[in-house]
Every structure is written in structure tokens, then in C-alpha cells.
Amino acid sequence: MSGLIPQRFVEDLLDRIDLAELIGSRITLKKAGANYKACCPFHDEKTPSFNVRPDKGFYHCFGCGAHGDAISFVREFEGLGFTEAVEELARRAGLEVPYDLAARQEMQQARTLTDALDFTNQFYRNALRSPAGNYALDYLKQRGLDDVIMERYQLGYAPGTGTALYDAAAQDLKGPLIETGTVSDRYGRPRDLFRNRVMFPIRNTRGRTVAFGGRTLGDDKAKYINSPESDVFHKSREIYGLFEARQAIRQLDKLLVVEGYMDVIALAQYGIDYAVATLGTATNQDSLQALLKQVRHVVFCFDGDNAGFRAADRAMENALELMADGLHLQFLMLPEGEDPDTLIRKEGTEAFQKRIEGATPLSRYLFDRQSESLDLQLPEHRGELRARVEPLLNKMPRSTLRDAMWHEMLRLCGGRNQWQNRQPQQRGKWRNGEYRDRPTEERVNVKLNKDSTLCLALVEAPELATEVSELARQSRQFPQAMSLAAWIMDKGIRDRSKLIGALALDQQARDRFYHLFDGIEHIPSRESTLASARELISPSEESSRQQRLATLLRNFANLSAEERNELRELSGGTQG
């Protein structure tokens, strides 16, 4: 649909929108010269790194990298598609979007379908409060839901008679109900799809009903059924509970993905308002992309049985191809036999919240799962771990996270780790929703070449640039360190965070230094790096003697008489 909006109209619309006014109507901006600053609405932070440039027509966050114009902001903040964002801004500017005739007809058709589904939603809600819905209402109350939460999620009841909805609909809605599959004419006569079921409306990001889920109150073989796909409902793109989460938390920065409608609602009743559920049996890439359009931090919550772990594994594998720096995915595995609905009622909000905060990061989950049943003291098992992990890492796009996970694989498979000093029967055990026996991560002692050491030291302490540059000039060595130091001095950088930001945002710098550390498999500690660099810059007396001695010995055949005397003195002066 976005291609049907003339580009000239989009450009004119952006020219008319005051970006500071638009963003300031949603978050608190503070003036900073000609620009504005705020805490970023797209990730959690305490120090403002979100900058708005009204004169340039864009915003940029130096924390998470969010960047764009007015349309991008409305899309990200409101969770809208391109067309919906343009319509929202056009209304704000008092303009009408110039769709062509075919596009107008398509949009009118979609609105007709959602009108029919909104009518259906209201019909089910009224039925729940009618005498016929008493049994359904009692069921929901027995599940622990109160009136407030039922109203918030607009729960309803589909009567058991076969045509109750169809009979109640106006004539102009009967066709759209059949088109969405809410009423079936499969056997030549209309029949309601949902009968004698508790109804869960599935709403899009604008609050319009696009489909339903229904839980049987009888002995139907299918406990839950969903609406079939239609022009307004694509199962893999819709997220149940997302609209309600955005209504409860305006600046949504994290989503907890659970497996069922009742899990979402129970968690919301206990104050965890950011729970949602994907539709279907697995979290595929379409649903992951739909989640990551909303937030950059997702916690997947699964039951701690075999089926839950299989679902978590599928979610992890599907996520790998989408992972980029700045995305944060975690996995929360619940105790076996529990789901979010039952567990939060047993232990309360605070305890469940602690479980969420302690969820396992994707990188650790991957290594924990792939190393289950392996004894990494054995070379064969280290080889097996690499055979399992390497294909998974190869799915990931190039990023800092991928590089870090690759180094972790090499560390675990290198034979130098001591993390499995535990009883064999304890390996690979997940207990009470968390992995108890995790490897302790010991830093590997690394000896790098001097040029790489100086480069790492510059990243850790850019203020060393002048000294490193002087050392490189005098010794005529360390070309990489000299280049990096010269660039740092040219930019006037004296702070590590500013250095990282400049390297990330300066395209020429990225191209120039992108492969600077390609040959390094392990990074020494900051303290070790700086100590080694200091020794190079200001060597001790003994170190200087050893370096001079090595230089003279390398050129022994060509030494002058004076240099030979110096060599004898240095050799005789070895300190014990």
C-alpha cells in the first residue's frame, strides 16, 4: 500500500510537520541549543542520549541507534505501518492522503471487514453479560479474572446456537462476516464458527478487531481455535495483547512473550502489563520481526517441559538470522508443570518479576543447550560442541554479538576451560526454571603483538594517543596504532564512550578501522592491556636493557666497536 502514496506528497508532509512539536507531544523534550534532548523512548536509559534536530528533520539516539524522520518516529512509537503513520501525520497537518481509486477501494474493503469484526466483538461481550453467558462468566471468575481485566481485554462469549451471530448481524455485515470466516457457509448455509466458547478478540495496533481466539466450554476436540486468515488478519504478523500493552505502558521498551491468551491476561491482572502472545504453534521469523518492530528487548517465557524447550529452541534458531547489535533477547524457562497463569498466582508479582529479570540471555541459552550431555574435558565432546554451535552462529549477520559468541565457542572448545569440574550426573540439568550448573567464565591469558596491544589500549584509554603516536614515530614500528592514534588526535577524542560513538557513526572511520582486530581471538582484560601498553610507552630500566640487548644481538655481524663494547656491558650487567 505504501507504494500507492505519491513520494511528492510524503516529502511535502514531512516539510509541514514540526518534528520537535510532534515528538514533544509524546515525550518530554529539553532544549539544547538549536536541538532538543530526551531520554530515548525506544530503550531504557537514565542519561538522555535521544537527540531531535528539527532543522534537519531527523532524530537520533546515541544509545540504541534509533534514527529517522517524523514517519519513522510515529511508526516506532505507535507501532503503526507506513500507510497508517502517513495517515496519522496527514490528519495532524490537515491534509488528505491522495490514494488512487484502486487503493481507496482496497482500504474501504478492509474497513468494512473490521467494522463487521468490531460488531462481532461487541456481540460476544454483550452475550457474556447475558443470562446465556452465566456459565462462561463463572468459568472466567473461577480462573481468577476480575471485571476490570475482562473489560480491558474485552472478553466475550459465543452462544452455543449455530447461527446466533449471523442472525444478529445487519444485512450489510453478513457478507463480510462470511469473508472473514467468522461465519462459515461451507455447507451451503451460514453457521457461526465459534459456538459455546469464551472469546478473546485479537486487536491490531490501532485497537480494531481483526480476528478471534475461542476456548471451548464443552468437550470439543480442539480446546482453542482461532479465526482463519483473511485480508485483515495474518496470523504470523499479529501479536495478541500488544494493543493492550501499549495502552498500559506508553513508552514500551520490553515485551514478555508467553504461550497463551490466559497467560497474557493473568500476568496483566498481577501488574505485568507487557506480556503478549504470538499466534500459532511456533515463534517464526515473521512474528519475531513483528515483535522487534515494537521493542529491542524481548523475553521469551516457556513452560519447563520438553515441549517448552523445543519451542524455545525454535524461537532461538529463528531469532539468530535477525540478531543485530542493540537487540536483547532472553529466555525464561518455568518450573516443569507450571505456566505463567498458575505460577504468578502461586508466588505473586515480585517473585515472578525476579524470574524475568534473571532470564537467560540468548548467547548463554545457546551454549547451555548445545553443551547439555557433553563433557568438555574430552576432546571428542569439544569437537561435538563446535559441530553443533558453528552452523547456528553462521546464521547470524556479522555483528559484535556474533564475534563475541564465536570467541566464546573457541574458548569452550579450546581445551583450556575448567568449567566442568562437577559431578557428571549434574551436567545439563535445568531445575525450577533456571539452569543451575552454568560455566564459570575465566579470562584467558593472552599475549598479543605490540601493535595490537597499543590499539586495544587506545580503545580503552584514548587519552594515550599522543604518547602512542610519539612511540610509533620514534620506533618506526606499530603502523596500526600510529594510524588510530593520529585519527583520535585529529578528532580531539579523550573519552572511551565518545571514541566508540565516533567509530560507530563515522562511515570513513568504520571503513578504515573495521578489520583492526580481525586477527585477535581473545581480548585481554583492560588492566592487562593498559599495563602492557604502559610498559611499551615507558619501559622500566630492565626492560629497556633487554630490548637494547635484543637489538644488538640481531645486528651482531654489523656492530661497530663502540656497539660491541655496549653489548659486553649489557651482557655482563644482567640483573638477577
Side-chain angles (χ1 to χ4, degrees):
M1 187 74 75
S2 61
L4 299 172
I5 300 176
Q7 183 62 29
R8 181 177 295 178
F9 174 80
V10 173
E11 292 171 359
D12 181 50
L13 178 62
L14 290 173
D15 287 340
R16 289 170 180 256
I17 295 295
D18 184 327
L19 188 62
E21 182 185 349
L22 171 71
I23 296 178
S25 67
R26 288 162 169 80
I27 64 175
T28 301
L29 294 178
K30 291 184 179 180
K31 198 85 165 65
N35 307 323
Y36 295 84
K37 278 193 168 186
C39 287
C40 182
F42 304 121
H43 80 288
D44 188 22
E45 64 175 4
K46 295 180 180 179
T47 303
S49 59
F50 184 79
N51 288 259
V52 180
R53 294 285 304 271
D55 57 328
K56 302 292 186 181
F58 71 84
Y59 61 87
H60 182 82
C61 176
F62 290 95
C64 69
H67 179 93
D69 54 22
I71 295 174
S72 303
F73 182 83
V74 173
R75 290 187 68 180
E76 292 296 321
F77 193 84
E78 304 289 350
L80 304 179
F82 177 84
T83 302
E84 293 171 320
V86 171
E87 286 183 334
E88 176 69 25
L89 292 175
R91 278 193 293 272
R92 187 182 184 92
L95 301 175
E96 183 177 351
V97 182
Y99 295 109
D100 62 22
L101 180 60
R104 288 184 184 279
Q105 290 174 344
E106 185 180 338
M107 293 182 68
Q108 183 56 47
Q109 171 67 4
R111 284 170 182 155
T112 301
L113 297 181
T114 53
D115 286 344
L117 292 166
D118 282 338
F119 163 79
T120 304
N121 184 23
Q122 191 59 52
F123 172 80
Y124 291 148
R125 292 170 68 191
N126 293 339
L128 180 64
R129 302 295 173 174
S130 72
N134 284 342
Y135 181 69
L137 190 60
D138 288 344
Y139 166 80
L140 291 171
K141 289 185 175 179
Q142 287 171 11
R143 293 291 300 264
L145 303 186
D146 57 32
D147 290 337
V148 173
I149 204 71
M150 283 190 272
E151 184 60 29
R152 176 175 165 187
Y153 285 87
Q154 298 190 356
L155 303 189
Y157 168 67
T161 54
T163 59
L165 171 63
Y166 185 79
D167 292 341
Q171 192 62 38
D172 63 334
L173 295 180
K174 293 182 185 293
L177 287 177
I178 291 173
E179 193 171 338
T180 61
T182 313
V183 173
S184 172
D185 63 350
R186 188 174 181 181
Y187 300 106
R189 57 187 178 85
R191 184 171 174 80
D192 296 349
L193 174 65
F194 300 100
R195 302 180 299 279
N196 192 33
R197 289 179 179 268
V198 171
M199 299 303 296
F200 303 86
I202 299 166
R203 294 190 279 178
N204 64 17
T205 53
R206 306 201 75 179
R208 300 298 302 272
T209 306
V210 294
F212 294 92
R215 188 208 187 278
T216 185
L217 294 171
D219 56 0
D220 301 65
K221 289 183 180 178
K223 182 186 289 187
Y224 282 92
I225 61 172
N226 291 329
S227 297
E229 296 209 349
S230 68
D231 287 344
V232 294
F233 175 55
H234 303 281
K235 182 171 62 175
S236 61
R237 301 179 200 166
E238 298 296 339
I239 307 296
Y240 178 74
L242 181 58
F243 173 76
E244 290 81 0
R246 296 193 70 91
Q247 292 296 109
I249 306 173
R250 198 59 180 167
Q251 295 183 23
L252 196 63
D253 61 1
K254 176 169 65 177
L255 288 174
L256 176 69
V257 182
V258 295
E259 296 185 78
Y261 303 127
M262 285 298 296
D263 293 327
V264 172
I265 297 170
L267 289 169
Q269 182 164 306
Y270 278 77
I272 298 179
D273 295 308
Y274 51 91
V276 297
T278 56
L279 306 176
T281 56
T283 307
N284 57 32
Q285 286 198 348
D286 285 340
S287 51
L288 278 166
Q289 287 176 329
L291 290 165
L292 294 173
K293 282 181 181 178
Q294 304 299 324
V295 295
R296 300 174 71 79
H297 184 180
V298 177
V299 181
F300 294 101
C301 178
F302 294 100
D303 300 348
D305 54 15
N306 289 334
F309 276 101
R310 285 196 299 272
D313 291 344
R314 285 195 299 271
M316 177 200 69
E317 291 192 32
N318 285 325
L320 290 175
E321 292 181 27
L322 304 176
M323 289 304 295
D325 291 336
L327 298 182
H328 188 30
L329 270 60
Q330 293 176 279
F331 292 84
L332 171 60
M333 308 306 297
L334 300 183
E336 191 167 355
E338 299 285 2
D339 58 35
D341 183 13
T342 60
L343 190 57
I344 197 166
R345 297 182 191 282
K346 284 183 182 178
E347 64 182 22
T349 304
E350 186 177 349
F352 200 92
Q353 189 67 50
K354 286 182 179 178
R355 289 183 181 272
I356 297 172
E357 292 167 0
T360 306
L362 177 141
S363 58
R364 177 51 55 206
Y365 178 85
L366 184 150
F367 286 111
D368 283 346
R369 286 289 284 164
Q370 298 306 317
S371 62
E372 281 188 9
S373 76
L374 298 181
D375 179 356
L376 296 193
Q377 299 293 352
L378 298 175
E380 294 87 348
H381 286 203
R382 293 196 295 272
E384 174 64 22
L385 177 62
R386 179 159 186 165
R388 293 179 185 182
V389 171
E390 192 166 342
L392 297 176
L393 300 189
N394 285 334
K395 291 182 177 183
M396 300 177 66
R398 182 153 189 167
S399 64
T400 303
L401 174 63
R402 179 185 182 274
D403 292 345
M405 292 176 67
W406 193 272
H407 293 321
E408 175 70 353
M409 178 190 71
L410 294 176
R411 185 184 76 83
L412 292 174
C413 297
R416 285 176 284 187
N417 52 294
Q418 301 297 318
W419 67 275
Q420 285 202 326
N421 293 329
R422 49 186 176 167
Q423 296 301 315
Q425 66 270 21
Q426 291 181 330
R427 297 190 184 108
K429 298 291 186 181
W430 293 76
R431 302 194 199 91
N432 296 325
E434 63 177 309
Y435 197 68
R436 299 294 191 190
D437 299 312
R438 293 184 179 172
T440 56
E441 298 187 4
E442 298 178 2
R443 185 171 290 277
V444 177
N445 290 324
V446 181
K447 188 171 181 63
L448 303 178
N449 67 55
K450 296 174 182 178
D451 204 3
S452 295
T453 297
L454 290 171
C455 289
L456 282 173
L458 287 170
V459 172
E460 294 292 347
E463 62 271 18
L464 295 176
T466 303
E467 296 171 87
V468 170
S469 179
E470 181 64 20
L471 171 67
R473 186 185 61 78
Q474 289 180 357
S475 64
R476 298 182 182 180
Q477 300 180 53
F478 321 129
Q480 293 185 115
M482 188 169 190
S483 176
L484 181 58
W487 179 80
I488 291 171
M489 290 190 293
D490 183 58
K491 296 293 182 181
I493 297 171
R494 304 284 294 176
D495 177 79
R496 184 179 187 276
S497 61
K498 289 182 180 177
L499 173 65
I500 300 300
L503 287 171
L505 297 174
D506 187 323
Q507 182 63 50
Q508 289 184 338
R510 285 207 303 273
D511 294 341
R512 183 175 173 184
F513 300 115
Y514 191 82
H515 299 288
L516 192 61
F517 300 117
D518 276 3
I520 300 177
E521 289 194 0
H522 299 288
I523 305 296
S525 68
R526 183 177 191 275
E527 295 75 14
S528 174
T529 297
L530 293 180
S532 298
R534 278 293 178 195
E535 183 62 31
L536 289 169
I537 294 168
S538 303
S540 64
E541 183 178 341
E542 172 61 15
S543 178
S544 298
R545 191 188 66 78
Q546 292 286 357
Q547 289 179 18
R548 179 59 177 161
L549 183 61
T551 301
L552 293 171
L553 287 172
R554 279 197 301 270
N555 299 299
F556 182 80
N558 301 314
L559 294 182
S560 65
E562 185 178 328
E563 288 173 332
R564 288 178 182 275
N565 287 333
E566 183 184 1
L567 177 60
R568 278 194 293 273
E569 290 176 6
L570 290 173
S571 300
T574 303
Q575 297 174 8

